[in-house]
Amino acid sequence: MLPLPAVDSRRGAGQGSRMLNVPSQSFPGPSSQQRVASGGRSKVPLKQGRSLMDWIRLTKSGKDLTGLKGRLIEVTEEELKKHNKKDDCWICIRGFVYNVSPYMEYHPGGEEELMRAAGSDGTDLFDQVHRWVNYESMLKECLVGRMAIKPALPKDYREEKKVLNGMLPKSQVTDTLAREGPSSPSYDWFQTDSLVTIVVYTKQKDINLGSITVDHQGDSFRVETIIKDYSYLIHIGLSHEIQEDFSVQVVENVGKIEIVLKKKESTTWKSLGCPLENHNSLLPKKDTDLYYRKCQLISKEDVTHDTKLFSVMLPPSTHLQVPVGQHVYLKLTIAGTEIVKPYTPVSDSLVPEFKEPVLPNSKYIYFLIKIYPAGLFTPELDLLQIGDYVSVSNPEGSFKISQVQEMEDLFLLAAGTGFTPMVKVLHYALTDIPSLRKVKLMFFNKTEDDIIWRSQLEKLALKDKRFDVEFVLSAPPSEWSGKQGYISPALLSEFLKKSLEKSKVLICICGPTPFTEQGMKLLHDLNFSKDEIHSFTA
Ligand code: FAD
Ligand code: NAP
């Protein structure tokens, strides 16, 4: 028997449905987020009884899904190539081979999409489409075995297991990375009677507290620093025990990070500890796994009839700040399968009058989440009681703060919960950009009841002359005197008036995928350049 790939892991399943028996004929509806996945990939209507929940049920039924009666085999390349038909389709992902034929009809991206990798290594294709989907958990009953010759994997840390005694080992930076990526970061450590300080030298100026995530879980001490599009990881099994909390400081102008740990006992450490997986590696961020920690649900408050403000608390042994415009993944185990969905943290409020009373900012993360009664993930999330746990990943996303930095006019186009990334962008713009003259939000919703934080937005517009908000309703009541309809050239050309002819402009857009795609097309038609537009997608 071959060892199974780790199933614990940090990826989770993607979109799915809870409508177990009677999916709507027209699913996904024309404007449904289910129709198009990230990157414009079309989703196909799933047949009745082929939702993600149905798949989970099938995998638990004990049916032999590989045709190998539970045996795991070594697969040669020649063998893999032979299994390239719909009813006999094997795909290799990260060295492990899966028989995906039974999954074909359940795949939200459709059979054709899966067939693109039939009989071959689908790792790259998979990573392009949905890196965060927990295929190990989803496809564990389809595992055929592993490739006879393993493809190149990140270097096994055990090969160079040695004690970290304060010397600076050379980073595991490949030649290509050294040429293309940031100059090689390094680290050092020193100690006093009571403290151990780990110093990371990033050699980059644009490092801040949001660039670093630190976790101490069990035997693993992990510091991940995002340097441009790369992830520099320090991953150590500490040689001695430390207290739960630690401090993280950044000397921004030299890109130096200091993590100060408190020793449990004031003995002298002979070494920092042992290197763990991928320790001291610099890898493209897109090639790294998501890392999760369990966060406690602290509060849950109604915001609209279907949207709630959730606040979760990070463990004391975690440092994590979600940068403006980025999202995280939340993970829950639903019917024995890990399900992961992306969510964009917000601030607790837009104006101080609505602020949460006591919570210190750095340990809490807030989410505005719409509960879809027939959805897979959100009803389960809504069932969590205060004090329950949900796993939260490291931040991700392509938005860069530098995009707003010298901005003069900022236009925000949001539909429904597409408002969430705008919250921090708006706050950052109004508080941190001296050049800013104007921020306008056009907020599309179906009815007045669907508008998130309406009174906060109106209050903010009254308080800050630079900010203006317009609500557009697609199904307004007869007495509605505001704007109505869908995103259109007429609405946009009136809305996107610059404060000065040559103003530096950024337009951010987010909402259901078809809304965002249509908006992007209209913005290009209005001659805004790519650099002037940021669309939030997965
Ligand atoms: P799903 O199971 O995906 O269902 C969604 C809808 O489709 C429901 O209305 C459901 O009824 C319908 N449906 C599903 N299957 C069927 C079927 N077979 N037949 C008919 N109808 C069906 N959302 C937020 O609320 N807040 C955020 O901050 C946020 N941030 C995001 C950030 C990013 C980068 C992205 C990509 C998305 C974000 N989302 C956010 C959306 C979020 O990730 C989920 O897609 C959303 O919460 C729905 O999840 P779900 O599993 O509950 O619903
Ligand atoms: P919703 O209530 O269904 O829609 C909001 C408004 O947009 C409604 O007025 C709706 O009109 C309109 N609309 C929907 N589809 C449209 C289209 N094709 N063209 C023009 N207008 C359209 O929205 P929601 O349920 O809150 O969903 C929000 C979406 O944003 C989700 O898909 C979520 O994944 C996405 N999101 C993405 C991110 C990110 O960072 N990528 C962050 C947060 C949310 P009607 O209802 O009348 O059709």
Side-chain angles (χ1 to χ4, degrees), residues 30-31 33 327 344 370 372 415-418 420-421 444-446 474-475 486-487 510-515 518 536-538:
S31 64
Q33 59 170 332
H327 55 269
T344 314
K370 175 166 169 175
Y372 296 87
T417 57
T420 53
F444 296 81
N445 285 281
K446 203 179 186 84
S474 54
Y486 293 99
I487 193 164
C510 188
T513 308
F515 164 89
Q518 200 187 337
F536 289 93
T537 50

Side-chain angles (χ1 to χ4, degrees), residues 131-143:
R131 198 171 77 78
W132 47 277
V133 169
N134 189 349
Y135 69 91
E136 295 108 315
S137 184
M138 294 260 301
L139 294 179
K140 58 180 184 264
E141 297 306 325
C142 298
L143 185 71

Side-chain angles (χ1 to χ4, degrees), residues 14-20 22-29 32-34 38 43 46-52 54 132 306-308 325-329 334 339-346 366-381 396-397 416-421 452 510-511 513 536-538:
Q15 310 275 8
S17 140
R18 236 193 169 203
M19 302 195 73
L20 298 180
V22 241
S24 122
Q25 280 292 320
S26 60
F27 175 76
S32 162
Q33 59 170 332
Q34 301 282 299
S38 59
K43 292 207 158 191
L46 297 173
K47 284 185 198 157
Q48 186 164 359
R50 294 294 181 271
S51 69
L52 179 53
D54 294 316
W132 47 277
D306 59 5
T307 301
K308 299 188 181 187
Q326 297 207 3
H327 55 269
V328 295
Y329 296 91
I334 300 174
I339 303 293
V340 173
K341 295 265 166 142
Y343 294 94
T344 314
V346 296
Y366 298 90
F367 298 97
L368 283 166
I369 297 182
K370 175 166 169 175
I371 311 299
Y372 296 87
L376 179 66
F377 190 84
T378 50
E380 292 289 330
L381 188 72
E396 291 226 322
T417 57
F419 171 61
T420 53
I452 298 170
C510 188
T513 308
F536 289 93
T537 50

